[in-house]
Amino acid sequence: MSRFTFSESNLAHLGLKTKTWNNPQADCPSFSIGSKINYHLKLSDNGYLIVAEKFASGEIFCLAPSFLSPAFPVSWGLLILPQDKDDPFVVEPPIGYEEIIAVFSQEKPQLDWLPKPEDEPLELQTEHLASLLNHVNKNHYQLMGYKYLIKA
């Protein structure tokens, strides 16, 4: 099983400044369809974590909070998604780039659309992304990001 760890990074390529999502550069890791993966996030403090993933299909989902992640607030240390380590994500078609951003803050996000801990991941619409960007721009936060390529 593959795993990768998020780290703090400049996320301009994800559109946090321009409010658009651009294709990442080609120098990122790749995973074959059928690979089993999980996401490891290193947290240096307790707080609130939102994780969104843009799939190669173009759809964007909020993975945390949801049933895949622990409930708010999360504790410092290593956090693994999905929460059930014995049930990893399976890489599925289509081939292409996937991107993940994690927004971590000390303040509880005031986003009424966030899924509850027992909910399925939510497909994010334009208004969700706009309110998330607004939250990021107005609050003390840490950003973590990761991009990878899905290949045949």
Side-chain angles (χ1 to χ4, degrees):
M1 175 173 26
S2 299
R3 70 179 192 164
F4 47 87
T5 303
F6 290 88
S7 60
E8 290 183 47
S9 62
N10 179 347
L11 297 175
H13 73 281
L14 291 179
L16 292 177
K17 299 294 182 202
T18 63
K19 299 185 181 180
T20 61
W21 293 71
N22 299 317
N23 284 336
Q25 297 174 352
D27 61 346
C28 60
S30 62
F31 298 95
S32 298
I33 293 172
S35 297
K36 294 181 179 183
I37 61 175
N38 52 33
Y39 307 153
H40 291 218
L41 295 93
K42 290 183 180 178
L43 304 176
S44 59
D45 208 345
N46 295 340
Y48 299 89
L49 179 69
I50 300 169
V51 178
E53 181 168 7
K54 180 184 179 195
F55 293 95
S57 65
E59 298 168 309
I60 303 170
F61 279 85
C62 180
L63 303 181
S66 77
F67 78 91
L68 298 171
S69 66
F72 281 163
V74 293
S75 300
W76 71 273
L78 182 63
L79 175 71
I80 299 174
L81 294 178
Q83 185 172 244
D84 182 355
K85 295 175 223 155
D86 295 327
D87 190 18
F89 295 119
V90 177
V91 176
E92 297 180 357
I95 60 171
Y97 292 105
E98 298 202 350
E99 299 177 74
I100 301 166
I101 61 167
V103 177
F104 182 77
S105 65
Q106 298 297 310
E107 299 86 25
K108 185 173 184 177
Q110 300 302 313
L111 302 169
D112 59 358
W113 53 263
L114 280 176
K116 304 221 178 331
E118 65 276 4
D119 290 346
E120 295 282 327
L122 172 69
E123 183 174 3
L124 300 181
Q125 305 300 318
T126 303
E127 60 272 13
H128 299 131
L129 293 172
S131 66
L132 179 58
L133 288 171
N134 188 44
H135 168 72
V136 165
N137 290 329
K138 289 185 176 180
N139 293 285
H140 175 70
Y141 61 88
Q142 293 178 352
L143 293 175
M144 296 173 276
Y146 197 84
K147 60 185 175 187
Y148 61 95
L149 177 65
I150 302 297
K151 61 183 184 177

